Amino acid sequence: MGGTVSAPYRGRFAPSPTGPLHFGSLLAAVGSFADARANAGIWLIRIEDLDRNRSVTGADAHILSTLEAFGLWWDEPVVYQSQRSSHYEAALERLRRDGLSYPCACTRREIAAHGIQGPEGPIYTGHCRNGLPQDRVARSERLRIDGDQLSLTDAVQGPITQQLMAEVGDIVLRRADGFYAYQLAVVVDDGDQAITQVVRGADLLISTPRQLYLQRCLGLPQPGYAHLPLVLGDDGRKLSKSLAAAPVDPDHPLPALDRAWRCLGQTPLEAPPRSVSEFWQHAIPRWDLARIPRGPLQIDAAVRSR
């Protein structure tokens, strides 16, 4: 079984190539980069492009060039999830061999009609847990969830406990459209890249217990976690989902860097930096994970793209 990681610091930023980098994603990148550098660690980039239907052509290159403009340099070659299907299949095969996964024939409509409502929608009732119903064919593959609850202490959000069976149910590992599910991919990738600390947005906090469960099933070590406050638009929605979300401006990075730094609760720099490299030279020694607010953060339209 896996255990908590105690190894040299390795962090990562994992954007989805669905469009240009907006301020909410920049905040996550700044937080994960600063935490890695303040701990003399390695910082990696992983492009989460599993779902080709959502990926925008050229968005990955635009994101990478924007990160460079903000002084967010990575230490190893960029990893693309779309090129790692064999790794996910190998993990899925191990789960099958250990009796921890099963085929499922249920449609979303059937699950919605019969499932109990949970924090993220209908909870799967386990209809196919003991075998496919007669005359039905498998559409997806699920993880067999057993046990009561999972707990962790997040470095920003504090203690988190989730009743996995009651609140989530058996999760999808491979979707009906053939794509591997995010939960499987992220766990396999973090394990393969030896990630020791995951610093990301608080929208993914609710997913963390099921990732811990998958780590245990696959015998992978457990990273530490720090979930940064979400950035909300004027309409109160997550910025990435707001119609008014604007990309950050790579031609003028310093205002957005300063805004992100302050949003993360960090001590302001003593004097305005003259360059991006000067910003990071003075910012990294001041980084303090304990100062980050739990959020969420309301950012008005006037500062989103600065």
Side-chain angles (χ1 to χ4, degrees):
M1 300 294 274
T4 302
V5 172
S6 58
Y9 189 112
R10 289 175 64 86
R12 48 72 162 182
F13 174 59
S16 297
T18 56
L21 203 69
H22 58 76
F23 186 77
S25 294
L26 177 67
L27 197 78
V30 166
S32 61
F33 177 83
D35 199 54
R37 294 295 184 246
N39 287 281
I42 297 297
W43 192 65
L44 308 177
I45 300 295
R46 179 192 309 151
I47 301 296
E48 296 192 336
D49 59 344
L50 270 181
D51 191 339
R52 302 291 184 87
N53 298 325
R54 295 181 63 243
S55 296
V56 175
T57 302
D60 59 323
H62 191 279
I63 289 171
L64 294 175
S65 65
T66 300
L67 293 174
E68 290 176 345
F70 280 83
L72 299 164
W73 293 94
W74 49 97
D75 298 302
E76 295 177 8
V78 175
V79 168
Y80 286 77
Q81 287 187 331
S82 60
Q83 299 172 7
R84 290 182 45 79
S85 294
S86 61
H87 297 266
Y88 309 140
E89 182 58 33
L92 192 52
E93 181 55 37
R94 172 172 176 169
L95 295 172
R96 292 186 191 117
R97 187 174 63 246
D98 293 342
L100 298 175
S101 73
Y102 63 91
C104 177
C106 298
T107 65
R108 288 189 177 184
R109 179 176 297 180
E110 290 169 334
I111 295 169
H114 302 292
I116 302 170
Q117 193 66 22
E120 293 185 293
I123 299 170
Y124 183 61
T125 59
H127 185 66
C128 297
R129 236 178 181 247
N130 298 317
L132 291 174
Q134 191 174 4
D135 300 326
R136 297 292 300 272
V137 296
R139 293 170 46 82
S140 61
E141 194 157 355
R142 291 183 179 272
L143 179 67
R144 193 182 302 274
I145 300 288
D146 292 311
D148 188 15
Q149 68 180 29
L150 280 174
S151 301
L152 72 146
T153 299
D154 187 85
V156 174
Q157 304 298 329
I160 304 297
T161 297
Q162 190 175 78
Q163 306 284 342
L164 212 54
M165 272 297 291
E167 297 179 45
V168 179
D170 293 344
I171 64 172
V172 171
L173 298 170
R174 187 160 55 188
R175 299 171 5 185
D177 58 13
F179 291 119
Y180 295 96
Y182 165 77
Q183 306 295 350
L184 176 67
V186 71
V187 165
V188 172
D189 291 341
D190 284 345
D192 285 353
Q193 292 186 288
I195 298 301
T196 64
Q197 182 76 356
V198 175
V199 180
R200 59 187 180 185
D203 56 324
L204 292 168
L205 180 62
I206 196 171
S207 294
T208 306
R210 70 196 77 169
Q211 291 170 20
L212 301 187
Y213 188 87
L214 253 176
Q215 287 161 4
R216 295 178 185 179
C217 290
L218 291 169
L220 297 173
Q222 177 186 317
Y225 289 90
H227 285 83
L228 307 177
L230 289 183
V231 179
L232 306 181
D234 298 328
D235 55 5
R237 301 173 67 201
K238 180 184 170 186
L239 193 60
S240 62
K241 298 184 181 298
S242 172
L243 295 176
V248 293
D249 185 357
D251 294 328
H252 301 92
L254 284 174
L257 274 176
D258 178 69
R259 170 64 63 171
W261 192 252
R262 291 170 183 269
C263 284
L264 289 169
Q266 301 304 299
T267 304
L269 305 191
E270 294 175 357
R274 292 167 294 182
S275 66
V276 168
S277 60
E278 186 176 311
F279 172 88
W280 286 115
Q281 179 183 352
H282 293 287
I284 289 171
R286 289 172 165 80
W287 176 253
D288 184 356
L289 201 63
R291 294 180 61 90
I292 299 175
R294 294 186 178 184
L297 305 170
Q298 191 86 28
I299 303 295
D300 60 45
V303 301
R304 288 181 196 152
S305 60
R306 292 184 192 169

mmCIF file of all heavy atoms in Angstrom, residues 55-79:
data_model
loop_
_atom_site.group_PDB
_atom_site.id
_atom_site.type_symbol
_atom_site.label_atom_id
_atom_site.label_comp_id
_atom_site.label_asym_id
_atom_site.label_seq_id
_atom_site.Cartn_x
_atom_site.Cartn_y
_atom_site.Cartn_z
ATOM 1 N N SER A 55 -10.114 20.121 -26.154
ATOM 2 C CA SER A 55 -8.834 20.770 -26.423
ATOM 3 C C SER A 55 -8.938 21.698 -27.622
ATOM 4 O O SER A 55 -9.579 21.382 -28.627
ATOM 5 C CB SER A 55 -7.756 19.718 -26.677
ATOM 6 O OG SER A 55 -7.550 18.925 -25.517
ATOM 7 N N VAL A 56 -8.295 22.849 -27.506
ATOM 8 C CA VAL A 56 -8.276 23.848 -28.573
ATOM 9 C C VAL A 56 -6.913 23.813 -29.247
ATOM 10 O O VAL A 56 -5.880 23.891 -28.573
ATOM 11 C CB VAL A 56 -8.562 25.256 -28.008
ATOM 12 C CG1 VAL A 56 -8.417 26.314 -29.092
ATOM 13 C CG2 VAL A 56 -9.955 25.311 -27.387
ATOM 14 N N THR A 57 -6.897 23.691 -30.555
ATOM 15 C CA THR A 57 -5.643 23.626 -31.297
ATOM 16 C C THR A 57 -4.781 24.853 -31.012
ATOM 17 O O THR A 57 -5.251 25.987 -31.123
ATOM 18 C CB THR A 57 -5.916 23.521 -32.811
ATOM 19 O OG1 THR A 57 -6.710 22.355 -33.062
ATOM 20 C CG2 THR A 57 -4.615 23.424 -33.584
ATOM 21 N N GLY A 58 -3.540 24.625 -30.631
ATOM 22 C CA GLY A 58 -2.611 25.710 -30.377
ATOM 23 C C GLY A 58 -2.657 26.273 -28.975
ATOM 24 O O GLY A 58 -1.789 27.081 -28.602
ATOM 25 N N ALA A 59 -3.652 25.862 -28.181
ATOM 26 C CA ALA A 59 -3.783 26.423 -26.830
ATOM 27 C C ALA A 59 -2.608 26.015 -25.944
ATOM 28 O O ALA A 59 -2.165 26.792 -25.095
ATOM 29 C CB ALA A 59 -5.101 25.977 -26.200
ATOM 30 N N ASP A 60 -2.090 24.795 -26.123
ATOM 31 C CA ASP A 60 -0.965 24.360 -25.301
ATOM 32 C C ASP A 60 0.256 25.235 -25.532
ATOM 33 O O ASP A 60 0.923 25.665 -24.582
ATOM 34 C CB ASP A 60 -0.646 22.885 -25.567
ATOM 35 C CG ASP A 60 -0.288 22.606 -27.013
ATOM 36 O OD1 ASP A 60 -0.898 23.240 -27.909
ATOM 37 O OD2 ASP A 60 0.598 21.766 -27.262
ATOM 38 N N ALA A 61 0.567 25.533 -26.797
ATOM 39 C CA ALA A 61 1.717 26.383 -27.110
ATOM 40 C C ALA A 61 1.520 27.786 -26.548
ATOM 41 O O ALA A 61 2.471 28.401 -26.044
ATOM 42 C CB ALA A 61 1.927 26.439 -28.618
ATOM 43 N N HIS A 62 0.303 28.292 -26.617
ATOM 44 C CA HIS A 62 0.011 29.628 -26.086
ATOM 45 C C HIS A 62 0.187 29.648 -24.572
ATOM 46 O O HIS A 62 0.770 30.586 -24.009
ATOM 47 C CB HIS A 62 -1.408 30.045 -26.472
ATOM 48 C CG HIS A 62 -1.702 31.487 -26.195
ATOM 49 N ND1 HIS A 62 -2.047 31.957 -24.938
ATOM 50 C CD2 HIS A 62 -1.690 32.576 -27.015
ATOM 51 C CE1 HIS A 62 -2.242 33.258 -24.995
ATOM 52 N NE2 HIS A 62 -2.025 33.657 -26.242
ATOM 53 N N ILE A 63 -0.282 28.604 -23.903
ATOM 54 C CA ILE A 63 -0.128 28.518 -22.444
ATOM 55 C C ILE A 63 1.345 28.478 -22.062
ATOM 56 O O ILE A 63 1.793 29.182 -21.156
ATOM 57 C CB ILE A 63 -0.870 27.283 -21.902
ATOM 58 C CG1 ILE A 63 -2.390 27.499 -21.981
ATOM 59 C CG2 ILE A 63 -0.452 26.985 -20.459
ATOM 60 C CD1 ILE A 63 -3.204 26.249 -21.680
ATOM 61 N N LEU A 64 2.127 27.668 -22.768
ATOM 62 C CA LEU A 64 3.541 27.530 -22.443
ATOM 63 C C LEU A 64 4.301 28.837 -22.664
ATOM 64 O O LEU A 64 5.147 29.226 -21.849
ATOM 65 C CB LEU A 64 4.166 26.407 -23.270
ATOM 66 C CG LEU A 64 3.645 24.994 -22.971
ATOM 67 C CD1 LEU A 64 4.262 23.984 -23.935
ATOM 68 C CD2 LEU A 64 3.929 24.590 -21.535
ATOM 69 N N SER A 65 3.993 29.532 -23.751
ATOM 70 C CA SER A 65 4.677 30.802 -24.005
ATOM 71 C C SER A 65 4.268 31.854 -22.981
ATOM 72 O O SER A 65 5.089 32.697 -22.593
ATOM 73 C CB SER A 65 4.378 31.295 -25.431
ATOM 74 O OG SER A 65 3.010 31.605 -25.597
ATOM 75 N N THR A 66 3.024 31.792 -22.515
ATOM 76 C CA THR A 66 2.578 32.723 -21.478
ATOM 77 C C THR A 66 3.294 32.452 -20.163
ATOM 78 O O THR A 66 3.734 33.374 -19.473
ATOM 79 C CB THR A 66 1.054 32.620 -21.283
ATOM 80 O OG1 THR A 66 0.394 32.931 -22.519
ATOM 81 C CG2 THR A 66 0.568 33.590 -20.209
ATOM 82 N N LEU A 67 3.429 31.189 -19.809
ATOM 83 C CA LEU A 67 4.170 30.841 -18.591
ATOM 84 C C LEU A 67 5.604 31.356 -18.662
ATOM 85 O O LEU A 67 6.138 31.901 -17.681
ATOM 86 C CB LEU A 67 4.155 29.325 -18.382
ATOM 87 C CG LEU A 67 2.809 28.686 -18.054
ATOM 88 C CD1 LEU A 67 2.937 27.166 -18.018
ATOM 89 C CD2 LEU A 67 2.258 29.199 -16.728
ATOM 90 N N GLU A 68 6.238 31.209 -19.813
ATOM 91 C CA GLU A 68 7.600 31.709 -19.981
ATOM 92 C C GLU A 68 7.650 33.219 -19.776
ATOM 93 O O GLU A 68 8.571 33.740 -19.137
ATOM 94 C CB GLU A 68 8.113 31.344 -21.370
ATOM 95 C CG GLU A 68 8.369 29.862 -21.565
ATOM 96 C CD GLU A 68 8.779 29.528 -22.990
ATOM 97 O OE1 GLU A 68 8.596 30.398 -23.882
ATOM 98 O OE2 GLU A 68 9.284 28.424 -23.220
ATOM 99 N N ALA A 69 6.647 33.927 -20.320
ATOM 100 C CA ALA A 69 6.620 35.385 -20.191
ATOM 101 C C ALA A 69 6.497 35.819 -18.737
ATOM 102 O O ALA A 69 6.970 36.903 -18.358
ATOM 103 C CB ALA A 69 5.464 35.951 -21.011
ATOM 104 N N PHE A 70 5.875 34.978 -17.917
ATOM 105 C CA PHE A 70 5.710 35.287 -16.500
ATOM 106 C C PHE A 70 6.848 34.736 -15.644
ATOM 107 O O PHE A 70 6.770 34.757 -14.426
ATOM 108 C CB PHE A 70 4.358 34.753 -16.015
ATOM 109 C CG PHE A 70 3.202 35.636 -16.364
ATOM 110 C CD1 PHE A 70 2.603 35.571 -17.616
ATOM 111 C CD2 PHE A 70 2.712 36.564 -15.448
ATOM 112 C CE1 PHE A 70 1.550 36.404 -17.951
ATOM 113 C CE2 PHE A 70 1.656 37.393 -15.768
ATOM 114 C CZ PHE A 70 1.069 37.323 -17.023
ATOM 115 N N GLY A 71 7.889 34.224 -16.296
ATOM 116 C CA GLY A 71 9.043 33.720 -15.572
ATOM 117 C C GLY A 71 8.828 32.381 -14.917
ATOM 118 O O GLY A 71 9.582 31.986 -14.018
ATOM 119 N N LEU A 72 7.812 31.649 -15.374
ATOM 120 C CA LEU A 72 7.466 30.358 -14.782
ATOM 121 C C LEU A 72 8.111 29.252 -15.623
ATOM 122 O O LEU A 72 7.492 28.659 -16.506
ATOM 123 C CB LEU A 72 5.946 30.209 -14.728
ATOM 124 C CG LEU A 72 5.237 31.277 -13.876
ATOM 125 C CD1 LEU A 72 3.749 31.306 -14.165
ATOM 126 C CD2 LEU A 72 5.486 31.057 -12.403
ATOM 127 N N TRP A 73 9.371 28.967 -15.331
ATOM 128 C CA TRP A 73 10.152 28.013 -16.107
ATOM 129 C C TRP A 73 10.100 26.631 -15.474
ATOM 130 O O TRP A 73 10.217 26.495 -14.267
ATOM 131 C CB TRP A 73 11.599 28.486 -16.200
ATOM 132 C CG TRP A 73 11.735 29.735 -17.015
ATOM 133 C CD1 TRP A 73 11.741 31.025 -16.550
ATOM 134 C CD2 TRP A 73 11.850 29.829 -18.428
ATOM 135 N NE1 TRP A 73 11.860 31.913 -17.587
ATOM 136 C CE2 TRP A 73 11.924 31.209 -18.756
ATOM 137 C CE3 TRP A 73 11.907 28.887 -19.453
ATOM 138 C CZ2 TRP A 73 12.051 31.660 -20.066
ATOM 139 C CZ3 TRP A 73 12.029 29.345 -20.759
ATOM 140 C CH2 TRP A 73 12.109 30.705 -21.056
ATOM 141 N N TRP A 74 9.935 25.610 -16.308
ATOM 142 C CA TRP A 74 9.845 24.239 -15.828
ATOM 143 C C TRP A 74 11.181 23.532 -16.018
ATOM 144 O O TRP A 74 12.035 23.972 -16.791
ATOM 145 C CB TRP A 74 8.717 23.496 -16.535
ATOM 146 C CG TRP A 74 8.717 23.615 -18.026
ATOM 147 C CD1 TRP A 74 9.224 22.733 -18.933
ATOM 148 C CD2 TRP A 74 8.178 24.705 -18.806
ATOM 149 N NE1 TRP A 74 9.031 23.181 -20.216
ATOM 150 C CE2 TRP A 74 8.392 24.389 -20.173
ATOM 151 C CE3 TRP A 74 7.511 25.888 -18.488
ATOM 152 C CZ2 TRP A 74 7.975 25.224 -21.214
ATOM 153 C CZ3 TRP A 74 7.112 26.734 -19.511
ATOM 154 C CH2 TRP A 74 7.343 26.399 -20.852
ATOM 155 N N ASP A 75 11.356 22.427 -15.301
ATOM 156 C CA ASP A 75 12.666 21.797 -15.187
ATOM 157 C C ASP A 75 12.848 20.536 -16.014
ATOM 158 O O ASP A 75 13.978 20.058 -16.165
ATOM 159 C CB ASP A 75 12.948 21.459 -13.713
ATOM 160 C CG ASP A 75 13.000 22.701 -12.851
ATOM 161 O OD1 ASP A 75 13.823 23.587 -13.139
ATOM 162 O OD2 ASP A 75 12.206 22.792 -11.898
ATOM 163 N N GLU A 76 11.773 19.962 -16.503
ATOM 164 C CA GLU A 76 11.864 18.731 -17.293
ATOM 165 C C GLU A 76 10.923 18.857 -18.493
ATOM 166 O O GLU A 76 10.075 19.764 -18.522
ATOM 167 C CB GLU A 76 11.489 17.515 -16.427
ATOM 168 C CG GLU A 76 12.466 17.269 -15.275
ATOM 169 C CD GLU A 76 12.052 16.105 -14.384
ATOM 170 O OE1 GLU A 76 11.081 15.390 -14.742
ATOM 171 O OE2 GLU A 76 12.697 15.904 -13.333
ATOM 172 N N PRO A 77 11.043 17.998 -19.491
ATOM 173 C CA PRO A 77 10.176 18.090 -20.668
ATOM 174 C C PRO A 77 8.694 18.061 -20.290
ATOM 175 O O PRO A 77 8.275 17.371 -19.350
ATOM 176 C CB PRO A 77 10.567 16.861 -21.493
ATOM 177 C CG PRO A 77 11.987 16.589 -21.103
ATOM 178 C CD PRO A 77 12.067 16.936 -19.647
ATOM 179 N N VAL A 78 7.907 18.831 -21.034
ATOM 180 C CA VAL A 78 6.456 18.879 -20.816
ATOM 181 C C VAL A 78 5.848 17.513 -21.131
ATOM 182 O O VAL A 78 6.198 16.873 -22.134
ATOM 183 C CB VAL A 78 5.819 19.960 -21.703
ATOM 184 C CG1 VAL A 78 4.296 19.941 -21.585
ATOM 185 C CG2 VAL A 78 6.369 21.340 -21.332
ATOM 186 N N VAL A 79 4.944 17.062 -20.267
ATOM 187 C CA VAL A 79 4.249 15.786 -20.446
ATOM 188 C C VAL A 79 2.833 16.050 -20.952
ATOM 189 O O VAL A 79 2.139 16.926 -20.421
ATOM 190 C CB VAL A 79 4.212 14.996 -19.120
ATOM 191 C CG1 VAL A 79 3.248 13.819 -19.210
ATOM 192 C CG2 VAL A 79 5.612 14.512 -18.760
#
